[in-house]
Amino acid sequence: MSPGLRERADLIGPSLRAIRADLEAMETYRRPRSGVRAPILALGAVDDPVVIGDRMHLWSLETSGGFAHRTFTGGHFYLYAPANAAAVAALLLPAPPPRRPRRRCPRSPVRRPSRTPMNTTPKGPP
């Protein structure tokens, strides 16, 4: 660890809490016997040096629901590539409903009030 980083308690504290929480989760997690019923979408990069892409299919064992697997290129941080982020967003977000063409209403004639000169009074009974 660099000496300058040791002095940054604002960075060290939250980082250590996150690392401790990850380690605790890894140590205490017990896989449910039945898995979950929610669908799982496993995402990864074929060229990721950290996550083994050939093992991503094992997530299918964790659900009795649907399973899909998509791979990208770009290494461990593949999601930083705008094209990959857009592709993931398209997989996760529902497609907007198709736009219906606007119906054109037939134009009805507009009746405009007749203009009377300002200096004259209308003729006829009051």
Side-chain angles (χ1 to χ4, degrees):
M1 182 183 317
S2 71
L5 187 57
R6 287 186 198 135
E7 298 170 7
R8 297 285 312 267
D10 60 317
L11 295 177
I12 298 291
S15 298
L16 288 177
R17 282 193 295 276
I19 292 168
R20 285 184 188 117
D22 284 351
L23 292 173
E24 181 182 354
M26 289 171 43
E27 290 173 358
T28 60
Y29 175 75
R30 298 293 175 252
R31 181 175 170 252
R33 289 183 182 262
S34 62
V36 297
R37 285 179 274 188
I40 292 178
L41 173 61
L43 303 170
V46 293
D47 52 349
D48 188 336
V50 178
V51 178
I52 302 168
D54 291 343
R55 301 188 74 201
M56 295 296 284
H57 72 280
L58 294 174
W59 280 103
S60 66
L61 302 175
E62 301 296 328
T63 183
S64 58
F67 175 77
H69 176 223
R70 301 288 184 273
T71 55
F72 301 89
T73 58
H76 190 66
F77 298 102
Y78 70 93
L79 199 52
Y80 289 153
N84 291 345
V88 170
L91 290 168
L92 297 176
L93 299 175
R99 290 185 62 166
R100 295 187 304 174
R102 286 179 41 174
R103 289 182 47 201
R104 295 187 140 249
C105 296
R107 292 190 105 173
S108 59
V110 177
R111 295 184 180 226
R112 295 191 178 150
S114 62
R115 293 186 179 195
T116 58
M118 293 178 75
N119 295 338
T120 62
T121 57
K123 296 178 182 174

